[in-house]
PDB file of all heavy atoms in Angstrom:
ATOM      1  N   LEU A  27     105.125 193.917 -50.223  1.00 95.00           N
ATOM      2  CA  LEU A  27     104.736 192.694 -50.921  1.00 95.00           C
ATOM      3  C   LEU A  27     103.272 192.720 -51.305  1.00 95.00           C
ATOM      4  O   LEU A  27     102.885 192.247 -52.378  1.00 95.00           O
ATOM      5  CB  LEU A  27     105.045 191.481 -50.048  1.00 95.00           C
ATOM      6  CG  LEU A  27     106.523 191.081 -49.985  1.00 95.00           C
ATOM      7  CD1 LEU A  27     106.754 190.069 -48.880  1.00 95.00           C
ATOM      8  CD2 LEU A  27     106.987 190.520 -51.320  1.00 95.00           C
ATOM      9  N   ARG A  51     108.011 185.042 -24.004  1.00 61.00           N
ATOM     10  CA  ARG A  51     108.123 183.859 -23.156  1.00 61.00           C
ATOM     11  C   ARG A  51     109.404 183.077 -23.435  1.00 61.00           C
ATOM     12  O   ARG A  51     109.456 181.877 -23.258  1.00 61.00           O
ATOM     13  CB  ARG A  51     106.899 182.949 -23.325  1.00 61.00           C
ATOM     14  CG  ARG A  51     106.567 182.548 -24.763  1.00 61.00           C
ATOM     15  CD  ARG A  51     105.243 181.775 -24.807  1.00 61.00           C
ATOM     16  NE  ARG A  51     104.802 181.467 -26.142  1.00 61.00           N
ATOM     17  CZ  ARG A  51     105.170 180.389 -26.817  1.00 61.00           C
ATOM     18  NH1 ARG A  51     105.996 179.529 -26.273  1.00 61.00           N
ATOM     19  NH2 ARG A  51     104.703 180.165 -28.030  1.00 61.00           N
ATOM     20  N   LYS A  57     116.358 179.458 -26.169  1.00 66.00           N
ATOM     21  CA  LYS A  57     117.570 179.791 -26.917  1.00 66.00           C
ATOM     22  C   LYS A  57     118.259 178.520 -27.421  1.00 66.00           C
ATOM     23  O   LYS A  57     118.771 178.473 -28.537  1.00 66.00           O
ATOM     24  CB  LYS A  57     118.519 180.599 -26.034  1.00 66.00           C
ATOM     25  CG  LYS A  57     118.000 181.993 -25.700  1.00 66.00           C
ATOM     26  CD  LYS A  57     118.985 182.754 -24.837  1.00 66.00           C
ATOM     27  CE  LYS A  57     118.464 184.143 -24.512  1.00 66.00           C
ATOM     28  NZ  LYS A  57     119.395 184.901 -23.650  1.00 66.00           N
ATOM     29  N   ALA A 103     109.742 174.029 -40.996  1.00 97.00           N
ATOM     30  CA  ALA A 103     108.669 173.331 -40.282  1.00 97.00           C
ATOM     31  C   ALA A 103     107.382 173.322 -41.092  1.00 97.00           C
ATOM     32  O   ALA A 103     106.670 172.307 -41.136  1.00 97.00           O
ATOM     33  CB  ALA A 103     108.443 173.991 -38.926  1.00 97.00           C
ATOM     34  N   PHE A 180     103.857 205.427 -49.890  1.00 95.00           N
ATOM     35  CA  PHE A 180     104.839 205.877 -48.910  1.00 95.00           C
ATOM     36  C   PHE A 180     105.641 207.072 -49.418  1.00 95.00           C
ATOM     37  O   PHE A 180     106.267 207.772 -48.626  1.00 95.00           O
ATOM     38  CB  PHE A 180     105.840 204.752 -48.603  1.00 95.00           C
ATOM     39  CG  PHE A 180     105.328 203.682 -47.686  1.00 95.00           C
ATOM     40  CD1 PHE A 180     103.994 203.331 -47.654  1.00 95.00           C
ATOM     41  CD2 PHE A 180     106.196 203.004 -46.846  1.00 95.00           C
ATOM     42  CE1 PHE A 180     103.531 202.331 -46.818  1.00 95.00           C
ATOM     43  CE2 PHE A 180     105.754 202.007 -45.997  1.00 95.00           C
ATOM     44  CZ  PHE A 180     104.411 201.671 -45.985  1.00 95.00           C
ATOM     45  N   LEU A 186     108.721 219.741 -54.648  1.00 92.00           N
ATOM     46  CA  LEU A 186     110.113 219.730 -54.208  1.00 92.00           C
ATOM     47  C   LEU A 186     110.395 221.002 -53.415  1.00 92.00           C
ATOM     48  O   LEU A 186     110.100 222.110 -53.867  1.00 92.00           O
ATOM     49  CB  LEU A 186     111.038 219.658 -55.427  1.00 92.00           C
ATOM     50  CG  LEU A 186     112.540 219.772 -55.164  1.00 92.00           C
ATOM     51  CD1 LEU A 186     113.026 218.577 -54.330  1.00 92.00           C
ATOM     52  CD2 LEU A 186     113.298 219.842 -56.487  1.00 92.00           C
ATOM     53  N   ASP A 202     121.810 205.175 -30.889  1.00 91.00           N
ATOM     54  CA  ASP A 202     121.750 204.750 -29.484  1.00 91.00           C
ATOM     55  C   ASP A 202     122.689 203.570 -29.259  1.00 91.00           C
ATOM     56  O   ASP A 202     122.274 202.422 -29.207  1.00 91.00           O
ATOM     57  CB  ASP A 202     120.317 204.373 -29.090  1.00 91.00           C
ATOM     58  CG  ASP A 202     119.706 203.341 -30.031  1.00 91.00           C
ATOM     59  OD1 ASP A 202     120.116 203.284 -31.203  1.00 91.00           O
ATOM     60  OD2 ASP A 202     118.817 202.590 -29.590  1.00 91.00           O
ATOM     61  N   LEU A 254     108.742 210.619 -41.244  1.00 95.00           N
ATOM     62  CA  LEU A 254     110.179 210.585 -41.470  1.00 95.00           C
ATOM     63  C   LEU A 254     110.498 210.841 -42.933  1.00 95.00           C
ATOM     64  O   LEU A 254     111.432 211.591 -43.259  1.00 95.00           O
ATOM     65  CB  LEU A 254     110.748 209.231 -41.037  1.00 95.00           C
ATOM     66  CG  LEU A 254     112.245 209.023 -41.274  1.00 95.00           C
ATOM     67  CD1 LEU A 254     113.061 210.051 -40.494  1.00 95.00           C
ATOM     68  CD2 LEU A 254     112.656 207.605 -40.891  1.00 95.00           C
ATOM     69  N   GLY A 259     112.995 214.861 -46.885  1.00 94.00           N
ATOM     70  CA  GLY A 259     112.934 215.725 -48.058  1.00 94.00           C
ATOM     71  C   GLY A 259     113.387 217.153 -47.817  1.00 94.00           C
ATOM     72  O   GLY A 259     113.505 217.935 -48.766  1.00 94.00           O
ATOM     73  N   TYR A 268     127.991 202.948 -42.592  1.00 97.00           N
ATOM     74  CA  TYR A 268     128.176 202.093 -41.417  1.00 97.00           C
ATOM     75  C   TYR A 268     129.660 202.121 -41.056  1.00 97.00           C
ATOM     76  O   TYR A 268     130.517 202.473 -41.889  1.00 97.00           O
ATOM     77  CB  TYR A 268     127.740 200.658 -41.709  1.00 97.00           C
ATOM     78  CG  TYR A 268     126.277 200.501 -42.028  1.00 97.00           C
ATOM     79  CD1 TYR A 268     125.821 200.653 -43.341  1.00 97.00           C
ATOM     80  CD2 TYR A 268     125.349 200.226 -41.033  1.00 97.00           C
ATOM     81  CE1 TYR A 268     124.467 200.522 -43.640  1.00 97.00           C
ATOM     82  CE2 TYR A 268     124.004 200.086 -41.324  1.00 97.00           C
ATOM     83  CZ  TYR A 268     123.572 200.238 -42.635  1.00 97.00           C
ATOM     84  OH  TYR A 268     122.229 200.113 -42.924  1.00 97.00           O
ATOM     85  N   GLN A 271     134.768 199.437 -40.766  1.00 94.00           N
ATOM     86  CA  GLN A 271     136.129 199.157 -40.296  1.00 94.00           C
ATOM     87  C   GLN A 271     136.132 198.473 -38.932  1.00 94.00           C
ATOM     88  O   GLN A 271     137.125 197.853 -38.548  1.00 94.00           O
ATOM     89  CB  GLN A 271     136.928 200.455 -40.231  1.00 94.00           C
ATOM     90  CG  GLN A 271     137.179 201.065 -41.607  1.00 94.00           C
ATOM     91  CD  GLN A 271     137.999 202.339 -41.536  1.00 94.00           C
ATOM     92  OE1 GLN A 271     138.054 203.002 -40.501  1.00 94.00           O
ATOM     93  NE2 GLN A 271     138.643 202.693 -42.639  1.00 94.00           N
ATOM     94  N   SER A 290     114.969 206.605 -47.896  1.00 98.00           N
ATOM     95  CA  SER A 290     115.551 207.829 -48.451  1.00 98.00           C
ATOM     96  C   SER A 290     115.135 208.033 -49.896  1.00 98.00           C
ATOM     97  O   SER A 290     114.836 209.161 -50.321  1.00 98.00           O
ATOM     98  CB  SER A 290     117.079 207.763 -48.350  1.00 98.00           C
ATOM     99  OG  SER A 290     117.501 207.615 -47.004  1.00 98.00           O
ATOM    100  N   VAL A 291     115.109 206.945 -50.660  1.00 98.00           N
ATOM    101  CA  VAL A 291     114.701 207.039 -52.066  1.00 98.00           C
ATOM    102  C   VAL A 291     113.223 207.394 -52.170  1.00 98.00           C
ATOM    103  O   VAL A 291     112.815 208.160 -53.049  1.00 98.00           O
ATOM    104  CB  VAL A 291     115.016 205.712 -52.789  1.00 98.00           C
ATOM    105  CG1 VAL A 291     114.363 205.671 -54.158  1.00 98.00           C
ATOM    106  CG2 VAL A 291     116.524 205.526 -52.916  1.00 98.00           C
ATOM    107  N   VAL A 295     115.433 212.222 -52.183  1.00 97.00           N
ATOM    108  CA  VAL A 295     116.619 213.056 -51.960  1.00 97.00           C
ATOM    109  C   VAL A 295     117.851 212.295 -52.416  1.00 97.00           C
ATOM    110  O   VAL A 295     117.867 211.063 -52.411  1.00 97.00           O
ATOM    111  CB  VAL A 295     116.770 213.460 -50.479  1.00 97.00           C
ATOM    112  CG1 VAL A 295     115.595 214.309 -50.024  1.00 97.00           C
ATOM    113  CG2 VAL A 295     116.951 212.243 -49.596  1.00 97.00           C
ATOM    114  N   LYS A 308     124.980 200.663 -54.387  1.00 98.00           N
ATOM    115  CA  LYS A 308     125.340 201.477 -55.550  1.00 98.00           C
ATOM    116  C   LYS A 308     124.745 200.911 -56.829  1.00 98.00           C
ATOM    117  O   LYS A 308     124.402 201.673 -57.751  1.00 98.00           O
ATOM    118  CB  LYS A 308     126.857 201.604 -55.637  1.00 98.00           C
ATOM    119  CG  LYS A 308     127.410 202.449 -54.499  1.00 98.00           C
ATOM    120  CD  LYS A 308     128.914 202.475 -54.450  1.00 98.00           C
ATOM    121  CE  LYS A 308     129.384 203.303 -53.258  1.00 98.00           C
ATOM    122  NZ  LYS A 308     130.855 203.292 -53.116  1.00 98.00           N
ATOM    123  N   TYR A 310     121.832 199.445 -56.867  1.00 97.00           N
ATOM    124  CA  TYR A 310     120.439 199.871 -56.698  1.00 97.00           C
ATOM    125  C   TYR A 310     120.259 201.324 -57.154  1.00 97.00           C
ATOM    126  O   TYR A 310     119.232 201.695 -57.723  1.00 97.00           O
ATOM    127  CB  TYR A 310     120.086 199.715 -55.223  1.00 97.00           C
ATOM    128  CG  TYR A 310     118.656 199.984 -54.815  1.00 97.00           C
ATOM    129  CD1 TYR A 310     117.693 198.983 -54.912  1.00 97.00           C
ATOM    130  CD2 TYR A 310     118.279 201.205 -54.279  1.00 97.00           C
ATOM    131  CE1 TYR A 310     116.390 199.200 -54.497  1.00 97.00           C
ATOM    132  CE2 TYR A 310     116.986 201.434 -53.861  1.00 97.00           C
ATOM    133  CZ  TYR A 310     116.042 200.419 -53.965  1.00 97.00           C
ATOM    134  OH  TYR A 310     114.746 200.653 -53.543  1.00 97.00           O
TER     135      TYR A 310
END
Side-chain angles (χ1 to χ4, degrees):
L27 284 168
R51 53 186 175 87
K57 292 181 180 179
F180 283 31
L186 174 64
D202 54 333
L254 177 61
Y268 297 87
Q271 293 181 338
S290 301
V291 169
V295 297
K308 291 173 182 177
Y310 185 85

